Amino acid sequence: MGDMANSSIEFHPKPQQQRDAPHAGGFGCTLAELRALMELRGAEALQKIEEAYGDVSGLCRRLKTSPTEGLADNTNDLEKRRQIYGQNFIPPKQPKTFLQLVWEALQDVTLIILEVAAIVSLGLSFYAPPGEESDACGNVSGGTEDEGEAEAGWIEGAAILLSVICVVLVTAFNDWSKEKQFRGLQSRIEQEQKFTVIRNGQLLQVPVAALVVGDIAQVKYGDLLPADGVLIQANDLKIDESSLTGESDHVRKSADKDPMLLSGTHVMEGSGRMVVTAVGVNSQTGIIFTLLGAGGEEEEKKDKKAKKQDGAVAMEMQPLKSAEGGEMEEREKKKANAPKKEKSVLQGKLTKLAVQIGKAGLVMSAITVIILVLYFVIETFVLEGRTWLAECTPVYVQYFVKFFIIGVTVLVVAVPEGLPLAVTISLAYSVKKMMKDNNLVRHLDACETMGNATAICSDKTGTLTTNRMTVVQSYLGDTHYKEIPAPSALTPKILDLLVHAISINSAYTTKILPPEKEGALPRQVGNKTECALLGFVLDLKRDFQPVREQIPEDKLYKVYTFNSVRKSMSTVIRMPDGGFRLFSKGASEILLKKCTNILNSNGELRGFRPRDRDDMVRKIIEPMACDGLRTICIAYRDFSAGQEPDWDNENEVVGDLTCIAVVGIEDPVRPEVPEAIRKCQRAGITVRMVTGDNINTARAIAAKCGIIQPGEDFLCLEGKEFNRRIRNEKGEIEQERLDKVWPKLRVLARSSPTDKHTLVKGIIDSTTGEQRQVVAVTGDGTNDGPALKKADVGFAMGIAGTDVAKEASDIILTDDNFTSIVKAVMWGRNVYDSISKFLQFQLTVNVVAVIVAFTGACITQDSPLKAVQMLWVNLIMDTFASLALATEPPTESLLLRKPYGRDKPLISRTMMKNILGHAVYQLAIIFTLLFVGELFFDIDSGRNAPLHSPPSEHYTIIFNTFVMMQLFNEINARKIHGERNVFDGIFSNPIFCTIVLGTFGIQIVIVQFGGKPFSCSPLSTEQWLWCLFVGVGELVWGQVIATIPTSQLKCLKEAGHGPGKDEMTDEELAEGEEEIDHAERELRRGQILWFRGLNRIQTQMEVVSTFKRSGSVQGAVRRRSSVLSQLHDVTNLSTPTHAILSAANPTSAAGNPGGESVP
């Protein structure tokens, strides 16, 4: 590059050349120079541009690009630009390697204890007591052992080590594939985001990562800027820079006052063109990111330090501090761990349940060990009166190690580590499948929350309707046409004005293109309402393109772009005689109020008084609206050459208009929507429509969709009326007033984004019903952001949605269709049920295994189920079963029940009945086999066997029967609402079948060939048949249990409630107050033993947040609200990871405290 550095002199033989001689790769600006330029704002920036480049077009020349034509689309040039100025993407953090994940899985406390025990047991097994004195040590190693058997003492230790390795590998693999899925999901989201640039004079949509310095980019309302740039030309451009500066007011940008556009900021109004000056790590957002350490290298070093007090563990391991002293640190810590609060409803319930189970397991295993040790000591030293001989010590220690191993295995089986795994698998599986159903899930827990949804507030346009708009009625020249008029029927003057008014006063990016396939409909590109109007021009046998070519976009004198406050759009052009003409279009009731004239059938002006307006509304507009049409008024105004008005005084300018026409635009209801809405209503979900349209139009569409049914008691309100009803005299919103309105409200028309936010917040905060409402909201506009954020689940439109809306959302509907929301509800409920199925199965295993190990140990000094067998049971029960039960596909029947709501327990009474019922059956069988099994099968008893005796058939039968019962119970667990047919739909889930059969196959191998390591001896066919018979008995017993009505069993408790009323979610708590749910309080008191089991639930949250942090500019930048304003928080936090999290605090997305939106 060095030799080319000076060559730029030949390109610009200008006097100012001396100032910037050495330059990069033939371009007239270095990277550092552009970076320095982008640091400046406002007047300083303009001054710098003038000094260095003359003006913006000078800058474009230096970057070898044309302000109108853009770059030449040649790959070499683009590649060169990428090498010199960088790529537009921020490198994500390195994913964890498989070995790191293995190392993490090894940190599991229970596993560590097992490993230690196994190694001790291994060591001792190689020690043979000297000589013949073994008699002195009692019947310790006596028995029928021959030499070969004694040699095999090491096998048990080795087998435990092996099974630990198995468990670790499986866990690591699961984590790894989960991480991989998230990366895939992230890149899916990245690819979705495209940006419009001009190359070779053509408008192109390119992926954001493909932008290069020197590109000319089109920016428009709702965009999220993907790179830094300098404005070339702008119409009424306003930017929300709160994500960088924390200032919530929108900043006006213009080429002559403040031309600097920064990446990561949102376009709130208007449109324009900019030349890209910095991308990726060199853009403003990229720089902040590098500071925050997402840039990789320096993070690693810091990470090492941070590891010592790694977030979650450090948090949990500190005992609660004394109230006074620790308060502040605790606060800081809390701040650092902000995203912890994002526990979803389900995770809250699970954490609590896992803690309770873990405690019980710990107690049981401790008692088991104590009893075994006491029993042995009393029997050997008291009853048999032996003394402790030095040479016998290893033998005794070996016994103690064996007891300890038994205790630990009880603990391993008791802790349901499968739980977090089941949640993760179930969610990850659902997310993957939901892609096919057009739901792109951005936040994992949204998927499960959706199953609890009780209310959906949906937009009308595009979600309930097809968003393919056409003009079907019009009022032109005193005539109301019910279909498109013939061009000959209209006066040339009216026709000409109409064509100009429509062609010029609409975004030039909106076009109608010829259809892709023969016979298809023409393609509508851009704003759909404008497409309808352009279509109307084509239907009148005229064309909008020549008009636009005659008056190109940069000749437009002034543009007032559409926004939700104006509800209209106006464009001013200069007339040949030096005067001006303003074209305006907008919602008819708003624009007609500003009209004072109207064109009659000859195209002449006649007065238009308020009385005429009321007539028109009654005779033309209301009938159109009642047919479900959206009415748009098109008007114009002329200014003579002498009187140029003050263009900033908008009310003055857009007034005194002449109405050209009123058109009725039809947006047909999607054919599949009424059925979808019926399903929602049957599933106990209320659908409400929130729209900016006229109330009559809204009511007509709501009736077509089935949102309102004749004869029902419902409300349809306009935004004004809604606000009047919910605000008190001072104009403040009162929850009591809202509670009177929302239960009956079905349609909210002419609503502003603030109304939408108010409604959503009001429904979520309401405490009137028997359960709290869980609200889903759909939105597509930039201004829907606050409502989408506030809702429990926010759906953004994938096609019509702006970047800002997608950013605020939890799920993106890739086909913009309401039916996809119903699919999401189905999947959400399915996740919930999958977890319940798994719980029902897992808890049965836990209860039985713990009781068997415990009582067996107490009565026969030896657990009937050996350590390795327990580990195998644990592996199939936890890992495989979670896979099998968590991947059940959803069925339509899920939509026939009401939502569970926030406070329904995880384990219902029916499930409790099933768990205890099956446990009773299994325990009865196993104890029968344990105590009288040897008589029944006519074999040697396995009880009271010496230490290293060979495996007995007796205990093998017990182990085998136990596994068979679990296998068949797994089939029972597929139904949790007490259904009879447990085989229903079993073949639609290949994973389930594979796992059940696979487990069965491995079990045969273990029993027949497992030998000493698995403490198994081969069984005869007859014995196998008996084991199978008892297993099949589970299915029969399941039917018996299903017969017992749950209502009779008052004694059964439910378990796994959500956080109680006193520990409400953080919305209820004042912002500053600390909120620590009970589960976390328990954890901190230091029972760390089963904490790792829990920790996997948290890894899931971690993965989600890594997945938030990683990804390229777009993915990441957007989530970090007002980083700069929060950088001071970051400085005093411990680990870089947390720094990013605190900055990404989801509530303050609007950039002003409390996350309330500024409309």
Side-chain angles (χ1 to χ4, degrees), residues 159-216:
I160 293 180
L161 281 182
L162 239 164
S163 36
V164 166
I165 291 171
C166 259
V167 174
V168 166
L169 287 178
V170 170
T171 316
F173 178 73
N174 271 315
D175 286 346
W176 179 76
S177 57
K178 185 172 72 189
E179 180 107 12
K180 200 169 109 212
Q181 259 173 350
F182 281 126
R183 302 239 162 213
L185 181 65
Q186 179 65 6
S187 62
R188 229 334 255 283
I189 295 175
E190 315 274 274
Q191 286 152 12
E192 297 276 305
Q193 211 207 351
K194 295 235 182 350
F195 209 74
T196 315
V197 296
I198 304 176
R199 289 189 182 165
N200 284 337
Q202 296 289 318
L203 280 180
L204 291 181
Q205 291 272 328
V206 299
V208 168
L211 285 178
V212 294
V213 170
D215 256 326
I216 305 295

Side-chain angles (χ1 to χ4, degrees), residues 317-337:
M317 292 181 109
Q318 291 170 330
L320 270 178
K321 302 216 187 68
S322 63
E324 317 83 306
E327 209 48 281
M328 267 330 284
E329 284 163 78
E330 200 68 278
R331 280 271 156 93
E332 280 304 313
K333 274 259 168 34
K334 266 316 232 195
K335 243 191 235 155
N337 280 19

Side-chain angles (χ1 to χ4, degrees), residues 910-928:
T910 315
M911 288 168 59
M912 217 31 154
K913 177 184 75 175
N914 290 345
I915 292 173
L916 296 177
H918 286 293
V920 167
Y921 173 81
Q922 297 187 6
L923 287 171
I925 297 278
I926 287 183
F927 284 136
T928 311

Side-chain angles (χ1 to χ4, degrees), residues 44 79 289 295 621 903 909 972 1009 1089 1094 1152:
E44 296 178 356
E79 201 36 60
F289 254 66
I621 292 175
D903 21 28
R909 289 189 48 202
N972 274 330
F1009 310 107
L1089 201 48
L1094 269 180
N1152 46 340

Side-chain angles (χ1 to χ4, degrees), residues 1100-1128:
Q1100 186 187 343
M1101 294 313 289
E1102 293 296 304
V1103 173
V1104 177
S1105 43
T1106 343
F1107 149 57
K1108 285 183 184 170
R1109 290 196 298 271
S1110 63
S1112 66
V1113 189
Q1114 324 75 287
V1117 169
R1118 307 182 197 164
R1119 288 200 185 76
R1120 228 197 42 284
S1121 84
S1122 56
V1123 168
L1124 288 181
S1125 65
Q1126 296 185 0
L1127 272 178
H1128 62 273

Side-chain angles (χ1 to χ4, degrees), residues 807-1101:
E807 212 19 65
S809 70
D810 302 302
I811 297 180
I812 296 174
L813 295 178
T814 48
D815 63 346
D816 289 14
N817 193 337
F818 187 82
T819 41
S820 305
I821 299 180
V822 183
K823 297 252 179 63
V825 172
M826 226 158 77
W827 276 107
R829 293 186 170 190
N830 191 49
V831 167
Y832 220 88
D833 282 5
S834 296
I835 303 301
S836 297
K837 289 172 191 173
F838 175 68
L839 264 176
Q840 176 177 310
F841 174 65
Q842 165 108 44
L843 292 180
T844 316
V845 181
N846 283 7
V847 169
V848 175
V850 170
I851 293 180
V852 167
F854 177 68
T855 42
C858 301
I859 299 171
T860 66
Q861 295 96 69
D862 185 7
S863 162
L865 297 172
K866 299 286 180 285
V868 183
Q869 297 174 351
M870 291 273 219
L871 282 172
W872 160 239
V873 169
N874 202 37
L875 186 74
I876 52 170
M877 299 315 131
D878 275 355
T879 316
F880 295 154
S882 61
L883 247 180
L885 291 168
T887 51
E888 291 270 309
T891 55
E892 287 283 329
S893 59
L894 287 168
L895 293 175
L896 299 177
R897 62 170 175 76
K898 296 272 177 279
Y900 284 145
R902 286 180 198 255
D903 21 28
K904 165 119 174 26
L906 269 178
I907 301 175
S908 62
R909 289 189 48 202
T910 315
M911 288 168 59
M912 217 31 154
K913 177 184 75 175
N914 290 345
I915 292 173
L916 296 177
H918 286 293
V920 167
Y921 173 81
Q922 297 187 6
L923 287 171
I925 297 278
I926 287 183
F927 284 136
T928 311
L929 284 177
L930 182 59
F931 295 114
V932 294
E934 72 270 31
L935 309 174
F936 180 81
F937 283 110
D938 190 24
I939 45 178
D940 293 336
S941 165
R943 295 193 299 278
N944 300 337
L947 193 59
H948 290 307
S949 55
S952 64
E953 280 183 6
H954 183 190
Y955 274 17
T956 309
I957 291 177
I958 294 179
F959 165 58
N960 199 22
T961 313
F962 181 65
V963 173
M964 289 302 124
M965 291 194 293
Q966 301 323 327
L967 269 184
F968 285 97
N969 195 26
E970 197 165 334
I971 300 174
N972 274 330
R974 291 182 67 245
K975 298 285 177 254
I976 49 174
H977 297 296
E979 296 92 330
R980 288 265 169 198
N981 180 6
V982 287
F983 290 104
D984 179 32
I986 192 163
F987 293 114
S988 63
N989 185 357
I991 303 186
F992 184 86
C993 304
T994 321
I995 284 182
V996 171
L997 294 173
T999 315
F1000 185 61
I1002 301 177
Q1003 178 64 18
I1004 295 180
V1005 173
I1006 289 180
V1007 171
Q1008 297 305 92
F1009 310 107
K1012 185 80 197 199
F1014 279 98
S1015 321
C1016 286
S1017 84
L1019 300 181
S1020 67
T1021 319
E1022 186 194 353
Q1023 290 164 334
W1024 263 103
L1025 287 174
W1026 275 109
C1027 294
L1028 266 176
F1029 170 73
V1030 174
V1032 177
E1034 268 288 314
L1035 295 175
V1036 183
W1037 184 248
Q1039 295 301 318
V1040 176
I1041 295 180
T1043 322
I1044 308 170
T1046 313
S1047 48
Q1048 299 299 304
L1049 302 168
K1050 290 278 182 291
C1051 54
L1052 288 184
K1053 296 286 284 180
E1054 299 161 326
H1057 289 267
K1061 280 276 179 285
D1062 48 311
E1063 341 145 35
M1064 267 310 185
T1065 44
D1066 47 356
E1067 292 122 337
E1068 264 79 337
L1069 290 161
E1071 283 259 311
E1073 277 186 332
E1074 276 327 305
E1075 161 260 358
I1076 305 168
D1077 67 25
H1078 286 344
E1080 277 181 31
R1081 210 170 286 153
E1082 298 294 353
L1083 278 176
R1084 289 206 199 137
R1085 298 223 169 98
Q1087 292 129 333
I1088 302 298
L1089 201 48
W1090 31 266
F1091 165 68
R1092 281 307 296 195
L1094 269 180
N1095 211 13
R1096 291 189 207 161
I1097 289 189
Q1098 284 157 357
T1099 19
Q1100 186 187 343
M1101 294 313 289

Side-chain angles (χ1 to χ4, degrees), residues 236-239 250-254 258 558 566 648:
D236 201 14
L237 190 62
K238 286 194 185 146
I239 305 261
H250 299 167
V251 187
R252 248 210 150 84
K253 297 282 182 185
S254 61
D258 181 2
K558 172 93 182 138
R566 287 192 186 120
D648 286 337

Side-chain angles (χ1 to χ4, degrees), residues 465-482:
T465 58
T466 54
N467 205 6
R468 189 183 168 86
M469 305 202 188
T470 42
V471 172
V472 287
Q473 295 187 21
S474 52
Y475 178 82
L476 284 154
D478 288 346
T479 326
H480 183 176
Y481 297 98
K482 289 288 172 89

